Amino acid sequence: MQNTNRFKCKPLSAAIAASVLTLSSQSLMAQDAAPVEEVLVTGIRASLQNAMDIKRDSAGVVDAISAEDIGKFPDTNLAESLQRITGVSINRNNGEGSQITVRGWGPDFNMVTLNGRTMPVGSAYGGGSGADQTTRGGASRAFDFANIASEGVSGVEVYKTGKANITTGGIGATVNVLTARPLNTPGLNASVGGKLVHDTTNRTGDDVTPELSGIFSWTDDDAKFGVGLSASYQERDSGYTGATVNDWDVNEWGLIGGQSDFNEPYDSDVFVNAPDNGQLYTRPYDIRYTFSDRERIRTNAQLTLQYAPTDAITATVDYTFAQNEQSEHRGEVTNWVQRSPFLETVEFDNQAIATPVVITELYNQDPENSPTVRDIGYSQYYRSQEDTLDSLGLNVEWEVNDNLTLAFDVHDSTMESVPTGPGYAGEVDVGVGAPIKTGKTLYYGSDLPYWTWDTDDSIVSNGDGIIDENDLSSTVLRIWSAEQVSDVTQFKFDGMWEFDEGRFDFGIERREMSSNTTSYNGNNQQVLGGWGAAAPGEFPDGSFEPFNLVGEYSDFNTGSAPATGFRADARDLAAFLVSEYGAYVGVENNGGNTASSDTIEEDTLAAYFQVGFDGQIGNFQVNVLTGLRYEATDQTSISNTPPLARFVWQSDNDFAQESVPVDATISENDYDVLLPNLDVQVNFTDDIVARFSTSQTIARAGLASLTSAVNGFGVGGSTLLASTPRANANNPFLKPLMSTNYDLSFEWYFDDTSMASVGFFQKRVDNFVGNEDSIRTFEVRNQTAGPRAQAALLALQDGGWEVSDPALYAMISILDNPTDFPNGADDYDGTVGQQSALGEGCTTADCFIYPRDDDPLMEFEVTTPVNDDEQRKVSGMELAVQHFFGDTGFGVMANYTIVSGNTEFDVFSLEEQYALEGLSDTANMVLMYENYGVQARLAYNWRDDYLNRQNVGSGNNPGFIEDHSQFDLNVSYDITDNLSVSFEGLNITGEDRREYARNKAMLWGLEDLGARYQIGARYKF
């Protein structure tokens, strides 16, 4: 498979290399090198002082983090360090900092640059299967800090206010990651380090894994030529134990005699503590206990060459490589919530949104005449993905004279997130079930729902009375695969003219961004043992390993949940099913798969100027920086997504999609913006500083929203029984979000490494992106509401039978097959056994119900992103203090951020909403000690509840992350001036992660997390 965008700009890379070789071949001019200022800082105190000085001397609101020594950043993970800054919070993946939120604006609304350069992003882990919150479908603008090791980083700058000379894209902030430059530290500087990593969540991998890093910097005696090299390698083995719920129906409790989402009348005796008429109530789809075993290999390297032929000219060429290889074995124990006729009891709680606390189901209602079971889900997954960043750049800075400095910068950078599983699969999903369950009771309402069940393996399986691998059958096989390949080519020319009491900055920029996301098999599922798991015992002996899954939970109460879980290598299971059923694994199978490809291209031309003045107003020193940036963007959206041709109805609520190829859809859009900024700094005294800033900044809509495709088709049952088909349509004509920002802050620098500050900010955002729903039809026929379905519904009603999706599906099958059912509707007996045999228990295509020409067109509720007319406001306050207590060595750093706005999600509304994800209060405290060669930090981080996602599933539900906190510990000791040893503990109290929907009883997912420990040594030359 080829992607035309992948190698688009490689000729530029060759040109950069040729340019630097040409420059390096010039003879050295015989001028004495001017002394180069030593900027290397060592230790906690020096690092904080350097960061404090950057904040103090910057125009606008800027926070910074500096390396404590060469090759030693405060935290192993950059995101973990960034969360110590006021207003910055992080999203964690697998217990590790991954993406950042700044002042309530999530990862897609923050721009991350490397040495001032816009970096491409890409994330398509798990093929976007959606099996849990860790999977990604590509089409992302969010930068993943887990890809970057901190050892090669010299500092990080966080610009919270806009400036004309900063690349656009961040409403929350622009984060600039700085790497070491050899000419900044003349001579020979080197450091090597090693760590042993132990993750307490690890089950099957190595208990101790290695991490190696090194950084080397050298210049000649005249500091005219320098070479810098940094590299790191880390292996990490970890485990995951959690739980998920796939979806929650939410509706209003209806009139007496109507039909609820449980397919029971509202006045049914099944319901206990039933909701009031008109009250919102909910129905869960399932509860899944999940586990996984993960491996991660991260490799980073950067090579930097610098040449200063004169005191006035410095040329830098650098190459950055970052690769993150991930693989995961995952499994589940799944209990699906059934509808009538299996319900015995549904008991609701007393919350404003009535939520079930107990659901009791009975399947084997007539064991003598119609013995019936349902399967326990034991699906197995394998995931594998590789993310690779390549960046090559050239920078030339020329001090033309004492007043004028010019700089030219160009880079070509590519990010590829590609699947590395069998046959280019990102996720191999092997559906496995044990058809032995005769009834169950589900207990919701606690942090972790649990269940009990009754089983009988003599009805379908081997009858040995033991839940073992001989009871396991395949159900379906699904292959998920997605790749995102992004490329950024950026040219920048900047100038600065310094004059008495001020300066004039100017520049132009050209940035070309292309991001392609290709997804495979998004609507393909191979029915093998069938939805009813009809082939127990088919797998070879030894395919599965039984283990006590509930014993893996350390922080959550699993109640009386059965202990049995199974794990297996999904690749081996899939290979067996290929030989057994003729199934396939991969993304190419004689046209049997579908591929959806979306490309977004943005070509941006920008020009800016800004003027800075230093002066006096009365007795106060005043610094003013004001500027204007103009940007024009041409955007092209290319979508080659096969449209849905038809649904194949495979059982009561199971549908497969079939698509047809079409030509690509191309949409073009353009827009321009004018972005002013003003920063005013007043020094009331040498120690007290006040700042006022106002600016306009933009953030572009998410890449997925800008495609031209209609996708996300789905239906969960017959539309005659109130099921609603849904789809997603995107909008390539979305405007960028425009934010008008105001900042006011006061800072008191009361000692060399001590300060206190308070800041107020407000962001007024236009063109906020939300969703709206509409009813649309496509060329898709609806067999669930056509003449066959209507005749089946009438037959059920005439016979006095219960009406449900399984009953309707069975009756259609009977009426449509007079050969096997010569008596028509009279051959329907209403038993669960017959419904199962004709529905999920049948594994051949002859049982499926296909659309016909006389079926009506299916009406879809289509969700489309749109720009909102209402202005959104986010306001907040940031409080910070930092202090070292004299010569004791003890210090403290603390901050608190409060944010609010008219962007909150209304949990009592069922409509599509426009809410800001990530908005939350945060707090940090770090206790520090540095003396006698000992450096120690105990860091505490807290984040309040926040909206993580919205308009999810059939109920347009939100997803809120519960408030959580974490303690981290870092201790090092300098054995000599060159040799130090260290100990790190991350999440040392084992705090967990939990996500809920409209109330805390509506679980979306949770992770039972553990601590991670590292011991290391570092030698500095």
Side-chain angles (χ1 to χ4, degrees):
M1 294 172 305
Q2 294 183 345
N3 188 303
T4 57
N5 298 300
R6 186 170 299 174
F7 303 106
K8 173 182 174 184
C9 296
K10 295 312 175 189
L12 175 61
S13 301
I16 294 172
S19 298
V20 74
L21 288 174
T22 300
L23 185 61
S24 299
S25 66
Q26 297 176 356
S27 62
L28 296 176
M29 300 182 67
Q31 296 184 7
D32 294 334
V36 180
E37 181 183 359
E38 175 73 41
V39 297
L40 184 65
V41 296
T42 60
I44 297 175
R45 191 164 186 154
S47 171
L48 293 176
Q49 181 176 353
N50 192 29
M52 191 178 75
D53 290 342
I54 293 173
K55 180 180 182 68
R56 184 174 188 167
D57 297 336
S58 296
V61 181
V62 180
D63 287 295
I65 307 171
S66 297
E68 296 173 2
D69 200 348
I70 182 172
K72 184 184 180 184
F73 209 68
D75 293 274
T76 301
N77 178 283
L78 287 181
E80 303 285 350
S81 287
L82 284 167
Q83 72 174 333
R84 320 290 182 210
I85 290 178
T86 53
V88 180
S89 52
I90 66 174
N91 299 345
R92 288 186 172 89
N93 185 8
N94 193 22
E96 183 176 8
S98 175
Q99 298 172 338
I100 63 169
T101 295
V102 184
R103 291 181 163 182
W105 293 89
D108 282 326
F109 301 109
N110 296 296
M111 172 62 71
V112 178
T113 60
L114 181 66
N115 296 316
R117 299 164 177 165
T118 301
M119 286 292 102
V121 297
S123 181
Y125 181 71
S129 70
D132 56 37
Q133 281 282 292
T134 66
T135 63
R136 300 287 185 269
S140 172
R141 290 190 190 270
F143 188 86
D144 190 347
F145 285 91
N147 290 330
I148 303 294
S150 66
E151 286 81 3
V153 174
S154 62
V156 178
E157 302 166 335
V158 181
Y159 294 88
K160 298 179 182 176
T161 52
K163 288 183 173 58
N165 63 335
I166 294 180
T167 298
T168 61
I171 283 183
T174 296
V175 178
N176 187 30
V177 179
L178 300 169
T179 57
R181 293 291 185 253
L183 293 187
N184 291 340
T185 55
L188 175 64
N189 298 278
S191 170
V192 294
K195 295 180 182 178
L196 299 177
V197 182
H198 170 60
D199 195 312
T200 59
T201 64
N202 176 62
R203 270 188 296 261
T204 61
D206 294 330
D207 286 332
V208 177
T209 54
E211 178 177 329
L212 302 172
S213 64
I215 184 167
F216 168 84
S217 174
W218 172 86
T219 68
D220 62 7
D221 292 339
D222 295 326
K224 292 183 177 296
F225 180 73
V227 179
L229 176 65
S230 65
S232 68
Y233 175 85
Q234 183 200 62
E235 296 180 9
R236 181 186 170 197
D237 293 344
S238 61
Y240 157 89
T241 306
T244 64
V245 174
N246 260 16
D247 205 355
W248 293 84
D249 287 329
V250 181
N251 277 302
E252 294 182 354
W253 195 259
L255 300 177
I256 300 299
Q259 194 87 342
S260 72
D261 285 339
F262 292 88
N263 279 356
E264 286 279 355
Y266 291 110
D267 60 355
S268 169
D269 292 338
V270 164
F271 298 118
V272 178
N273 194 31
D276 297 330
N277 286 343
Q279 182 181 358
L280 290 182
Y281 76 101
T282 185
R283 171 189 172 272
Y285 276 39
D286 55 23
I287 176 63
R288 301 167 185 246
Y289 283 9
T290 61
F291 63 93
S292 70
D293 299 297
R294 298 165 170 165
E295 296 181 0
R296 201 260 314 265
I297 298 176
R298 183 178 66 192
T299 307
N300 279 195
Q302 184 176 65
L303 174 64
T304 303
L305 303 176
Q306 284 193 293
Y307 179 46
T310 73
D311 293 343
I313 297 176
T314 301
T316 303
V317 63
D318 55 76
Y319 171 72
T320 301
F321 173 84
Q323 187 173 80
N324 200 8
E325 304 170 72
Q326 302 177 77
S327 63
E328 175 182 4
H329 294 273
R330 183 180 184 275
E332 297 178 346
V333 178
T334 303
N335 281 278
W336 295 273
V337 174
Q338 304 291 332
R339 304 176 191 259
S340 178
F342 301 121
L343 296 175
E344 295 285 295
T345 302
V346 178
E347 180 181 350
F348 289 94
D349 62 17
N350 294 313
Q351 296 193 77
I353 301 175
T355 307
V357 290
V358 179
I359 300 175
T360 302
E361 302 171 355
L362 179 63
Y363 318 127
N364 198 22
Q365 299 172 358
D366 187 5
E368 296 297 327
N369 300 310
S370 182
T372 302
V373 294
R374 283 291 182 266
D375 66 306
I376 305 166
Y378 291 109
S379 291
Q380 304 292 317
Y381 305 77
Y382 176 75
R383 297 170 177 166
S384 184
Q385 196 86 6
E386 182 179 275
D387 299 344
T388 304
L389 170 69
D390 284 288
S391 178
L392 179 63
L394 169 67
N395 179 279
V396 179
E397 185 173 323
W398 178 26
E399 295 182 13
V400 181
N401 53 44
D402 290 342
N403 301 105
L404 179 62
T405 300
L406 301 177
F408 170 76
D409 191 273
V410 58
H411 78 100
D412 180 29
S413 303
T414 302
M415 180 71 178
E416 299 184 355
S417 180
V418 297
T420 53
Y424 209 64
E427 178 178 289
V428 178
D429 173 1
V430 181
V432 177
I436 61 174
K437 187 167 54 180
T438 59
K440 71 171 181 286
T441 300
L442 300 165
Y443 299 90
Y444 290 87
S446 59
D447 284 346
L448 175 62
Y450 65 94
W451 66 86
T452 60
W453 60 38
D454 297 314
T455 61
D456 185 347
D457 66 353
S458 66
I459 297 175
V460 177
S461 191
N462 57 10
D464 62 5
I466 302 172
I467 303 178
D468 56 25
E469 69 174 351
N470 293 319
D471 296 314
L472 302 181
S473 164
S474 65
T475 57
V476 297
L477 175 62
R478 287 174 281 216
I479 307 298
W480 300 86
S481 179
E483 64 180 23
Q484 182 178 359
V485 179
S486 301
D487 187 274
V488 174
T489 302
Q490 186 176 24
F491 303 82
K492 295 170 65 178
F493 176 76
D494 299 289
M496 179 177 66
W497 176 269
E498 295 181 280
F499 53 88
D500 291 341
E501 308 300 333
R503 75 178 196 269
F504 177 74
D505 302 332
F506 58 93
I508 59 173
E509 176 186 337
R510 174 73 179 272
R511 184 174 71 253
E512 299 175 0
M513 189 282 295
S514 174
S515 182
N516 172 266
T517 296
T518 302
S519 302
Y520 305 87
N521 298 354
N523 57 5
N524 190 285
Q525 53 195 15
Q526 305 169 69
V527 177
L528 305 175
W531 292 104
E538 65 176 331
F539 291 102
D541 291 344
S543 296
F544 294 86
E545 175 190 355
F547 77 108
N548 180 1
L549 176 55
V550 299
E552 296 295 316
Y553 294 89
S554 59
D555 297 334
F556 296 94
N557 182 9
T558 58
S560 303
T564 303
F566 292 95
R567 55 187 169 206
D569 190 326
R571 296 171 296 181
D572 295 338
L573 301 182
F576 166 76
L577 295 172
V578 167
S579 64
E580 188 75 4
Y581 290 92
Y584 60 89
V585 175
V587 298
E588 295 179 358
N589 183 57
N590 300 323
N593 300 318
T594 58
S596 172
S597 177
D598 294 294
T599 300
I600 304 296
E601 297 176 348
E602 293 172 347
D603 189 348
T604 299
L605 182 63
Y608 76 89
F609 74 87
Q610 61 184 13
V611 183
F613 298 98
D614 302 331
Q616 294 280 136
I617 297 181
N619 295 324
F620 305 138
Q621 175 72 30
V622 177
N623 305 318
V624 177
L625 180 68
T626 184
L628 192 65
R629 184 182 183 91
Y630 172 78
E631 282 198 353
T633 299
D634 293 326
Q635 174 192 295
T636 304
S637 173
I638 307 170
S639 293
N640 193 347
T641 299
L644 176 67
R646 66 179 183 178
F647 281 114
V648 178
W649 199 3
Q650 296 181 333
S651 70
D652 54 350
N653 60 1
D654 295 309
F655 293 80
Q657 301 178 31
E658 294 183 356
S659 302
V660 294
V662 294
D663 294 332
T665 300
I666 301 176
S667 301
E668 296 182 342
N669 188 26
D670 62 82
Y671 52 85
D672 58 4
V673 293
L674 198 60
L675 306 172
N677 72 281
L678 171 65
D679 299 308
V680 180
Q681 176 182 327
V682 180
N683 296 343
F684 291 112
T685 70
D686 291 341
D687 301 325
I688 298 177
V689 178
R691 303 179 193 274
F692 171 76
S693 297
T694 181
S695 63
Q696 286 191 313
T697 53
I698 65 169
R700 293 171 175 84
L703 295 176
S705 299
L706 292 173
T707 68
S708 303
V710 179
N711 49 32
F713 290 96
V715 63
S718 170
T719 60
L720 288 180
L721 304 184
S723 179
T724 302
R726 299 180 185 274
N728 298 317
N730 300 304
N731 185 354
F733 303 103
L734 289 172
K735 303 174 185 177
L737 284 73
M738 174 76 76
S739 178
T740 302
N741 315 300
Y742 301 95
D743 281 81
L744 177 64
S745 63
F746 301 90
E747 301 157 11
W748 177 29
Y749 298 88
F750 55 92
D751 206 344
D752 288 343
T753 53
S754 300
M755 64 158 291
S757 66
V758 57
F760 306 90
F761 64 87
Q762 185 178 84
K763 297 179 181 293
R764 301 178 181 180
V765 181
D766 295 304
N767 302 330
F768 196 84
V769 177
N771 295 311
E772 69 176 13
D773 290 337
S774 60
I775 302 300
R776 294 175 58 181
T777 60
F778 305 90
E779 293 300 317
V780 178
R781 297 288 170 179
N782 185 3
Q783 66 268 48
T784 77
R788 290 169 295 168
Q790 294 178 21
L793 177 62
L794 182 62
L796 290 171
Q797 293 171 337
D798 289 345
W801 299 107
E802 176 200 48
V803 176
S804 64
D805 282 320
L808 186 67
Y809 189 94
M811 183 62 80
I812 293 175
S813 299
I814 288 172
L815 297 180
D816 208 35
N817 188 1
T819 302
D820 293 338
F821 302 98
N823 300 314
D826 291 337
D827 285 331
Y828 179 74
D829 61 18
T831 63
V832 173
Q834 187 185 55
Q835 292 175 2
S836 178
L838 294 173
E840 66 177 28
C842 186
T843 62
T844 66
D846 295 339
C847 301
F848 301 158
I849 300 175
Y850 297 86
R852 294 176 179 171
D853 290 341
D854 59 349
D855 289 324
L857 291 176
M858 185 171 283
E859 293 186 341
F860 290 87
E861 183 177 292
V862 180
T863 300
T864 305
V866 295
N867 291 116
D868 188 12
D869 293 332
E870 179 183 355
Q871 186 180 76
R872 301 303 171 114
K873 297 180 181 179
V874 174
S875 303
M877 179 172 65
E878 297 176 341
L879 303 168
V881 63
Q882 173 183 309
H883 181 56
F884 271 88
F885 298 93
D887 296 327
T888 66
F890 289 99
V892 63
M893 180 174 65
N895 58 64
Y896 192 95
T897 303
I898 302 170
V899 291
S900 62
N902 62 341
T903 59
E904 296 182 353
F905 192 97
D906 181 2
V907 298
F908 297 105
S909 172
L910 300 183
E911 302 299 322
E912 292 276 351
Q913 299 188 46
Y914 301 75
L916 179 60
E917 299 169 7
L919 195 70
S920 67
D921 294 352
T922 57
N924 291 280
M925 177 174 284
V926 181
L927 302 179
M928 302 169 286
Y929 177 80
E930 184 178 35
N931 225 341
Y932 307 110
V934 177
Q935 298 181 23
R937 285 174 301 146
L938 177 63
Y940 169 79
N941 169 261
W942 169 82
R943 186 176 185 182
D944 203 0
D945 290 31
Y946 67 91
L947 180 67
N948 184 51
R949 50 185 176 146
Q950 58 189 312
N951 304 316
V952 181
S954 60
N956 286 334
N957 288 308
F960 294 98
I961 302 295
E962 284 188 4
D963 69 297
H964 55 278
S965 59
Q966 179 166 314
F967 283 94
D968 300 326
L969 176 66
N970 187 314
V971 180
S972 65
Y973 177 66
D974 296 332
I975 297 176
T976 69
D977 290 341
N978 302 98
L979 177 63
S980 63
V981 293
S982 63
F983 169 82
E984 297 172 75
L986 305 175
N987 193 19
I988 56 178
T989 57
E991 299 299 321
D992 306 310
R993 179 185 185 274
R994 189 178 187 273
E995 184 184 25
Y996 60 93
R998 295 176 184 266
N999 59 47
K1000 292 193 175 182
M1002 297 173 64
L1003 173 73
W1004 275 125
L1006 60 81
E1007 295 178 59
D1008 195 332
L1009 299 172
R1012 187 165 76 253
Y1013 299 105
Q1014 301 178 151
I1015 59 172
R1018 189 172 63 92
Y1019 190 83
K1020 182 175 62 173
F1021 296 91

